[in-house]
Amino acid sequence: MRKNSWLQKLLYCLMVVLGAYIIYKSGCLLALESQLQKASEDGNIQRSLEDSAMRTWASAYTAAVEGKESGNAFSLWMSQIAPVFSYAVDQAESGDETDTDEMAKLQVEDETDTEGVAELPAEAETEMETMTAAQEETETPAQETMAGTIFAQALPQLLDYSYLLSNIYTVDADTYADAELLDADKLLSVDLGIEQDASVPQILIYHTHSQEAFADSVEGEVSDTIVGMGDILADELRSYGYNVIHDTGVYDLVDGVLDRSAAYDYAREAVTEILEEYPTIEVVIDLHRDGVSGEEGDFVTEIDGESVSKIMFFNGLSRDENGDEISWLPNAYLSENLAFSLQLQVLANAEYPGFTRKIYLKEERYNLHLRARSLLIEAGTQLNTVEEEQRAMVPLANLIRQVLEM
């Protein structure tokens, strides 16, 4: 026994040290009693424990909460502790309801107290009602408009990035769009409204590819081409009270020969001059006709019993396949461009189901950097008839109007 006396002394020393540490930590806890109590009341301890559990034993925590079988020892422990969390949450919610009931009682008491107050003269009361109505009209949020209601109803699904890629967007292989760029909550919240003022130019429509025609277009007849569709769209927008300039310049013919390789450069120069001459223009629309493979039926829908060509909104992202910005194609208005097309797409899906194809995202810029409200539209295809295309301009103008009136 004496031979082990040194071991006993060592154990005694460890016990003394451990005891001193326990006393020290107990003192610290007692000193922080008020902070711990506050943290407990605020739910911080509960949230911290839950977060820790989810990070460390996520599968066990899920199994316990959902009641799934698991042989994991952590699952058995979590099945015991999860009810404690649930009970705490239930108590917090019931506490909120109690607080609400108390506030309701106080409101009733306040109303009772005002019963003895003398009524206002009829003239003063009418004036106050008029002021209140005016204030409510001024403070009515965009969310209460029909378009705002549609956005609110669609948002839960649109917050799912995988849903966006499957149902809203087609992302070209040469570019990349992450969830941050396609943040539906942010894009639907962008205010694109403008004040109607027919006294000054507000909207510009032009055609980078003015020679695009349709299945039954008569050669040499401008009204049968995409330029003719621009005339109709411009007139529809004017009927809503907007001042619209329709630029019919030709940018894809060089010395009489069709050449689309430099058309965007030529168009950019011309559009820039127009915007400098008319700085009040806030909306710029580049109207195209798409070239596709397939059957005509794939690109036709029915609106009010009539065949109408489908349209497609198109965005240039100025980003390569890795998601890196293309330095020589900066676009300070990218977010607003994306907001414009998404808001139109969501409205179209609600009001004219099947009218729009999925928004196409490609890597370059396509002159969408010239204004925040810049839009490239592929209206119909070479497989559509002129009449189908003409009909499409009416719902398209209505959608644009609704976004601009938000």
Side-chain angles (χ1 to χ4, degrees), residues 27-28 55-56 139-141 144 186 199 232 241 272 348 354 378 388 390 405:
C28 291
R55 287 194 301 270
T56 311
E139 295 178 354
T140 299
E144 293 181 8
K186 175 183 175 182
S199 67
I232 298 174
T272 299
E378 296 283 2
E388 289 169 344
Q390 290 172 337
E405 288 182 355

Side-chain angles (χ1 to χ4, degrees), residues 27-186:
C28 291
L29 289 174
L30 289 173
L32 296 174
E33 182 179 0
S34 60
Q35 289 93 326
L36 289 173
Q37 179 66 26
K38 186 178 185 304
S40 178
E41 292 173 354
D42 292 342
N44 294 333
I45 294 177
Q46 173 187 325
R47 286 193 293 271
S48 179
L49 288 172
E50 287 182 331
D51 290 344
S52 178
M54 288 298 290
R55 287 194 301 270
T56 311
W57 307 298
S59 59
Y61 184 81
T62 303
V65 172
E66 296 181 359
K68 296 178 180 178
E69 294 293 332
S70 175
N72 191 311
F74 286 129
S75 295
L76 298 176
W77 180 78
M78 289 304 300
S79 66
Q80 300 300 315
I81 199 66
V84 177
F85 292 152
S86 299
Y87 174 78
V89 172
D90 291 340
Q91 291 300 306
E93 291 177 350
S94 63
D96 290 342
E97 292 173 0
T98 301
D99 292 341
T100 303
D101 292 341
E102 291 297 328
M103 291 181 67
K105 291 178 182 177
L106 289 173
Q107 185 174 357
V108 171
E109 292 175 0
D110 289 342
E111 291 173 355
T112 303
D113 291 340
T114 59
E115 289 179 358
V117 179
E119 295 184 0
L120 290 171
E123 295 180 359
E125 187 174 347
T126 302
E127 184 177 352
M128 288 188 66
E129 289 177 354
T130 304
M131 291 175 62
T132 302
Q135 183 178 7
E136 289 177 353
E137 183 177 351
T138 302
E139 295 178 354
T140 299
Q143 197 67 14
E144 293 181 8
T145 65
M146 184 170 69
T149 300
I150 291 173
F151 293 166
Q153 292 172 345
L155 185 58
Q157 273 190 322
L158 299 177
L159 292 176
D160 183 350
Y161 177 62
S162 60
Y163 176 85
L164 288 176
L165 296 184
S166 299
N167 298 278
I168 303 297
Y169 293 104
T170 296
V171 184
D172 190 88
D174 291 332
T175 192
Y176 178 77
D178 58 18
E180 182 179 0
L181 188 65
L182 304 181
D183 183 344
D185 189 17
K186 175 183 175 182

Side-chain angles (χ1 to χ4, degrees), residues 353-372:
F355 178 50
T356 56
R357 297 153 62 192
K358 292 195 291 185
I359 301 171
Y360 201 93
L361 305 180
K362 202 165 171 61
E363 76 278 12
E364 296 184 13
R365 189 174 58 184
Y366 304 99
N367 293 334
L368 295 174
H369 65 296
L370 298 176
R371 282 292 187 270

Side-chain angles (χ1 to χ4, degrees), residues 159-225:
L159 292 176
D160 183 350
Y161 177 62
S162 60
Y163 176 85
L164 288 176
L165 296 184
S166 299
N167 298 278
I168 303 297
Y169 293 104
T170 296
V171 184
D172 190 88
D174 291 332
T175 192
Y176 178 77
D178 58 18
E180 182 179 0
L181 188 65
L182 304 181
D183 183 344
D185 189 17
K186 175 183 175 182
L187 297 178
L188 293 181
S189 298
V190 175
D191 182 4
L192 296 170
I194 66 173
E195 293 290 333
Q196 291 180 345
D197 185 358
S199 67
V200 293
Q202 295 181 290
I203 301 175
L204 169 65
I205 299 173
Y206 74 102
H207 312 274
T208 298
H209 298 152
S210 63
Q211 305 306 300
E212 292 170 333
F214 302 94
D216 58 348
S217 295
V218 176
E219 187 174 355
E221 186 64 48
V222 176
S223 62
D224 285 357
T225 67

Side-chain angles (χ1 to χ4, degrees), residues 315-328:
N315 283 104
L317 300 185
S318 298
R319 280 168 166 74
D320 62 20
E321 67 275 11
N322 299 316
D324 296 327
E325 295 185 16
I326 300 176
S327 59
W328 60 92

Side-chain angles (χ1 to χ4, degrees), residues 229-242 244 390 392-398 401:
M229 304 309 122
D231 282 334
I232 298 174
L233 180 60
D235 287 340
E236 288 292 324
L237 290 172
R238 289 181 187 122
S239 72
Y240 290 124
Y242 297 104
V244 183
Q390 290 172 337
M393 296 300 101
V394 178
L396 174 58
N398 183 37
R401 171 193 65 82

